[in-house]
């Protein structure tokens, strides 16, 4: 009974997550994020606390998760929850798609007029021919390899759309199968 109740609870959580992801996407489609009051976002601070929180998961998986704040990054204004969600998804992808013993590194820097955030892992990677689809809604590279990780394939679609709509930013993914993946986010510094 306890086992089945646990399954029910985790499936209910999963359904709640899917619904909230779909709501986020439909809000983004309607451009409603613009009506949220912009908050000050201390990029380094936000990332540091996310890395700290996810450190527990990494430790359980015997992975190394390190944050390298390379230089000072200016405060940006915008949807703080949206920003946190983007980073959470990308770091959690890096953990999910990297076998135990792997390494995940997060970098932040200011390069010219851009804030640059990089998440680099040495995990399973993405085959070249699948890369163009990676930001599609509900797209998952290979159901078999990620069956135990139970995602929906909405994370990257949300990340890309939030970045573009709310931060005027960009996201790029470079990857090599069985070598690792590098996700790069750039957000222009606001005057
Ligand atoms: P969700 O984020 O909605 O819970 P998800 O993680 O499967 O589910 P996305 O974050 O959109 O969905 O990622 C889409 C797919 O891209 C993943 O299913 C996975 O196959 C691939 N992928 C994403 N990040 C990585 C990574 N760092 N290494 C290898 N494959 C990745
Ligand atoms: Mg994801």
């Amino acid at each position: 009974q306890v086992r089945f109740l646990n399954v029910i609870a985790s499936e209910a959580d999963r359904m709640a997550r899917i619904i909230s992801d779909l709501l986020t996407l439909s809000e983004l489609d309607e451009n409603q994020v613009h009506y949220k009051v912009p908050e000050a976002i201390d990029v380094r601070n936000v990332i540091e606390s996310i890395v700290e929180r996810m450190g527990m998961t990494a430790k359980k998986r015997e992975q190394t998760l390190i944050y390298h704040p390379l230089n000072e990054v200016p405060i940006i204004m915008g949807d703080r929850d949206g920003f946190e969600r983007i980073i959470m998804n990308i770091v959690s992808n890096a953990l999910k798609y990297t076998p135990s013993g792997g390494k995940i590194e997060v970098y932040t820097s200011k390069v010219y007029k851009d804030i640059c955030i990089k998440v680099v892992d040495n995990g399973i990677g993405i085959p070249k021919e699948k890369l163009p689809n990676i930001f599609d809604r509900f797209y998952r590279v290979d159901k078999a390899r990620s069956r135990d990780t139970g995602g929906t394939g909405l994370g990257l679609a949300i990340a890309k759309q939030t970045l573009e709509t709310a931060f005027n930013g960009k996201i790029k993914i470079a990857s090599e199968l069985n070598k690792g993946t590098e996700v790069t986010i750039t957000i222009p510094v606001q005057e």
Side-chain angles (χ1 to χ4, degrees):
Q1 264 176 336
V2 169
R3 193 154 56 87
F4 284 124
L5 284 173
N6 277 325
V7 172
I8 292 166
S10 89
E11 288 302 307
D13 281 351
R14 195 169 108 78
M15 232 184 300
R17 254 196 334 267
I18 294 174
I19 291 167
S20 122
D21 282 353
L22 286 171
L23 282 172
T24 305
L25 277 167
S26 74
E27 266 177 31
L28 284 162
D29 286 344
E30 301 290 328
N31 261 332
Q32 287 190 9
V33 281
H34 285 316
Y35 304 125
K36 280 190 191 157
V37 180
E39 296 159 283
I41 305 168
D42 181 337
V43 172
R44 279 175 48 158
N45 206 301
V46 169
I47 292 180
E48 201 171 288
S49 71
I50 289 175
V51 167
E52 206 176 289
R53 253 179 288 160
M54 302 200 107
M56 307 275 275
T57 317
K59 207 170 168 189
K60 268 189 223 149
R61 299 172 54 93
E62 291 170 19
Q63 293 165 326
T64 330
L65 172 62
I66 315 171
Y67 175 38
H68 307 275
L70 296 183
N71 54 17
E72 291 299 323
V73 164
I75 301 281
I76 52 171
M77 297 296 291
D79 173 6
R80 196 171 197 275
D81 287 344
F83 180 76
E84 280 193 17
R85 212 155 159 175
I86 295 168
I87 306 299
M88 294 261 282
N89 178 260
I90 289 159
V91 177
S92 82
N93 280 352
L95 297 179
K96 273 202 293 193
Y97 305 113
T98 298
S100 81
K103 191 171 182 182
I104 297 95
E105 291 177 283
V106 184
Y107 300 85
T108 53
S109 59
K110 182 174 174 252
V111 184
Y112 302 107
K113 290 193 163 185
D114 285 328
I115 293 168
C116 177
I117 302 162
K118 255 185 210 291
V119 179
V120 185
D121 67 59
N122 63 357
I124 59 177
I126 301 161
K128 207 176 180 168
E129 70 274 13
K130 304 283 169 73
L131 275 174
N133 298 100
I134 211 78
F135 295 105
D136 295 352
R137 292 176 188 189
F138 295 109
Y139 187 81
R140 310 194 70 211
V141 168
D142 176 355
K143 294 214 165 64
R145 68 172 181 165
S146 44
R147 198 185 294 134
D148 57 327
T149 56
T152 29
L154 288 172
L156 284 177
I158 293 176
K160 184 178 161 75
Q161 211 167 336
T162 309
L163 264 171
E164 289 172 355
T165 321
F167 295 97
N168 199 15
K170 290 198 187 95
I171 179 168
K172 274 198 208 132
I173 297 193
S175 188
E176 209 175 320
L177 195 59
N178 299 320
K179 290 254 166 65
T181 302
E182 183 177 307
V183 181
T184 308
I185 289 174
T186 49
I187 297 175
V189 174
Q190 301 147 350
E191 297 301 328

